[in-house]
């Protein structure tokens, strides 16, 4: 169930005076925080609180910001499917997450409905069956691990029965934000025989794993146990993070995050430039600032701890590394970006 601002007053995360003023924010963009993350927040403006506690700045919507910033809808042949690249599809199995990130690029629809209806699931599976170029299916939503093990098992079993599908990737926050959901039954549901499962963990700040007052080895035990269960079951673990101004846009925080992940058996995979979702301008850094952070990290931490810094080109033109191979210019924050098919697009940094 989505929360209201007044629900965070007893925790001291929102003042009684601000609770009413924040209602328009949560009426526009839903709020949900798990008990695990509420415990991890020490202040509304710490590295976890800034990700989940609503902010009046979310009502500041810029003309450049989009309802569908990465263009899911432009590549949707049937409900629940995004087919942007020839060999893989995104399968939106639910619109529910255990937490609602204030910067989410799907914040317009997350929580609007529940699980994908059975008829739409059947149509999506039929599309995958009759498209032999598809080798990989990426389960997302929402968060696919918010499904019951029974529902997830039905989907993974159906995918495993499709001869040309060999890989399944699951994008999730659950092992950190709701680790109690990672049970033996959930593990069995996501490890269908004949289907190699990869799990991509979304996490943005080391405080999600380590209490602010704790030391380097004082990991939150429930999250560690959930990741251990997945690794023991043979599920390779990757991570994806979003570069967020005021949250993790420093060498010290990113270094701690990526080395913590590697220590927990999770390979840092992607660092996303914050998308042009509506009401998120206060989270976005500049491209130049992100590149400077990546340059500073190289040499300070192991290469195995460095993710690829990427941009999802607005409008649905694909994801590219933020390197000189794909980015040109930068004067006055204006970049020419080359997409995977060779097309060019203009991206403007925030002022």
């Amino acid at each position: 169930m989505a929360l209201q601002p007044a629900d965070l007053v007893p925790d001291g995360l929102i003042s009684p005076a601000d609770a009413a003023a924040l209602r328009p924010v949560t009426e526009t963009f839903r709020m949900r925080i798990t008990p695990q993350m509420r415990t991890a927040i020490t202040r509304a403006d710490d590295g976890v609180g800034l990700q989940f506690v609503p902010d009046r700045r979310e009502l500041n919507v810029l003309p450049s910001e989009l309802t569908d910033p990465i263009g899911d809808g432009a590549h949707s042949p049937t409900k629940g499917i995004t087919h942007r690249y020839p060999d893989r599809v995104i399968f939106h199995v639910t619109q529910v997450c255990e937490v609602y990130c204030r910067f989410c690029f799907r914040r317009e629809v997350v929580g609007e409905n529940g699980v994908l209806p059975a008829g739409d699931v059947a149509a999506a599976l039929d599309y995958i069956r009759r498209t032999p170029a598809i080798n990989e299916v990426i389960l997302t939503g929402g968060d696919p691990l918010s499904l019951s093990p029974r529902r997830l098992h039905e989907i993974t079993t159906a995918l495993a029965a499709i001869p040309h599908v060999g890989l399944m990737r699951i994008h999730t926050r659950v092992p950190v934000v709701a680790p109690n959901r990672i049970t033996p039954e959930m593990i069995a549901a996501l490890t269908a025989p004949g289907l190699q499962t990869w799990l991509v963990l979304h996490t943005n700040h080391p405080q999600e794993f380590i209490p602010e007052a704790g030391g380097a080895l004082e990991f939150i035990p429930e999250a560690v146990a959930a990741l251990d269960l997945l690794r023991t079951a043979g599920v390779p673990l990757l991570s994806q993070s979003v570069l967020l101004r005021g949250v993790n846009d420093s060498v010290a925080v990113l270094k701690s995050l990526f080395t913590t992940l590697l220590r927990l058996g999770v390979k840092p995979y992607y660092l996303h430039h914050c998308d042009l979702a509506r009401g998120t301008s206060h989270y976005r850094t500049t491209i130049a600032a992100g590149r400077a952070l990546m340059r500073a990290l190289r040499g300070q931490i192991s290469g195995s701890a460095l993710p690829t810094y990427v941009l999802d080109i607005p409008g649905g033109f694909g994801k590219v590394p933020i390197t000189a191979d794909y980015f040109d210019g930068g004067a006055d924050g204006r970049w020419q970006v080359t997409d995977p098919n060779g097309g060019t697009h203009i991206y403007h940094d925030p002022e």
Side-chain angles (χ1 to χ4, degrees):
M1 180 181 297
L3 297 170
Q4 298 301 326
D7 295 325
L8 299 186
V9 170
D11 295 340
L13 299 177
I14 291 177
S15 71
D18 284 341
L22 286 167
R23 280 298 298 270
V25 177
T26 54
E27 287 169 359
T28 305
F29 306 114
R30 299 167 187 82
M31 176 174 66
R32 193 177 190 194
I33 313 173
T34 59
Q36 185 82 18
M37 287 298 97
R38 285 176 79 162
T39 300
I41 299 170
T42 57
R43 306 179 313 278
D45 63 350
D46 68 19
V48 181
L50 287 169
Q51 297 182 58
F52 303 122
V53 177
D55 188 306
R56 294 183 205 185
R57 290 176 293 178
E58 294 174 54
L59 297 178
N60 177 31
V61 177
L62 303 183
S64 59
E65 293 177 335
L66 306 169
T67 299
D68 180 14
I70 71 166
D72 281 337
H75 301 278
S76 182
T78 188
K79 193 170 181 182
I81 292 290
T82 299
H83 193 178
R84 183 175 288 109
Y85 305 105
D87 67 332
R88 56 203 182 275
V89 295
I90 295 173
F91 192 176
H92 306 265
V93 293
T94 179
Q95 288 187 352
V96 174
C97 292
E98 294 299 308
V99 291
Y100 294 154
C101 303
R102 307 313 305 168
F103 49 86
C104 178
F105 65 87
R106 295 192 180 113
R107 66 196 317 231
E108 305 282 346
V109 296
V110 165
E112 186 174 31
N113 296 304
V115 299
L116 191 66
D120 293 329
V121 169
L125 288 168
D126 184 60
Y127 176 81
I128 296 168
R129 287 189 193 98
R130 55 188 169 83
T131 311
I134 296 170
N135 175 55
E136 180 180 17
V137 176
I138 302 162
L139 298 190
T140 184
D143 194 316
L145 296 191
S146 68
L147 297 179
S148 69
R150 177 187 62 81
R151 282 184 184 271
L152 186 61
H153 181 263
E154 290 172 355
I155 292 169
T156 59
T157 300
L159 291 172
I162 301 173
H164 54 266
V165 174
L167 301 171
M168 179 175 68
R169 200 189 323 164
I170 294 178
H171 288 190
T172 181
R173 260 192 176 276
V174 161
V176 172
V177 304
N180 59 304
R181 293 193 60 79
I182 305 300
T183 61
E185 293 76 20
M186 184 66 82
I187 297 287
L190 58 85
T191 52
L195 195 62
Q196 175 59 59
T197 299
W198 290 72
L199 187 139
V200 182
L201 176 70
H202 178 184
T203 181
N204 299 306
H205 197 281
Q207 193 176 317
E208 296 173 41
F209 299 96
I210 308 169
E212 188 179 57
L217 298 179
E218 297 177 18
F219 297 117
I220 295 171
E222 295 83 358
V224 173
L227 294 173
D228 283 346
L229 272 175
L230 288 159
R231 281 203 322 275
T232 301
V235 177
L237 304 177
L238 304 171
S239 77
Q240 60 178 353
S241 305
V242 182
L243 183 60
L244 300 168
R245 182 151 54 102
V247 175
N248 60 13
D249 61 331
S250 75
V251 171
V253 172
L254 290 178
K255 180 178 178 179
S256 177
L257 173 63
F258 299 148
T259 55
T260 294
L261 284 164
L262 206 59
R263 182 161 191 156
L264 292 172
V266 183
K267 167 69 178 82
Y269 175 43
Y270 278 146
L271 176 64
H272 290 267
H273 194 74
C274 188
D275 294 305
L276 294 175
R278 295 196 316 134
T280 62
S281 61
H282 55 291
Y283 283 115
R284 274 191 295 282
T285 66
T286 64
I287 295 287
R291 294 174 84 172
L293 285 168
M294 294 302 293
R295 281 195 299 271
L297 284 168
R298 186 165 294 280
Q300 290 202 33
I301 58 176
S302 165
S304 55
L306 279 173
T308 301
Y309 180 36
V310 296
L311 173 75
D312 261 304
I313 301 171
F317 297 100
K319 184 188 296 97
V320 292
I322 300 179
T323 64
D325 290 336
Y326 295 91
F327 278 72
D328 189 31
D332 300 321
R334 185 180 186 274
W335 297 89
Q336 180 173 285
V337 186
T338 302
D339 67 35
N341 296 315
T344 58
H345 313 271
I346 298 301
Y347 180 87
H348 292 275
D349 270 331
E351 293 183 4

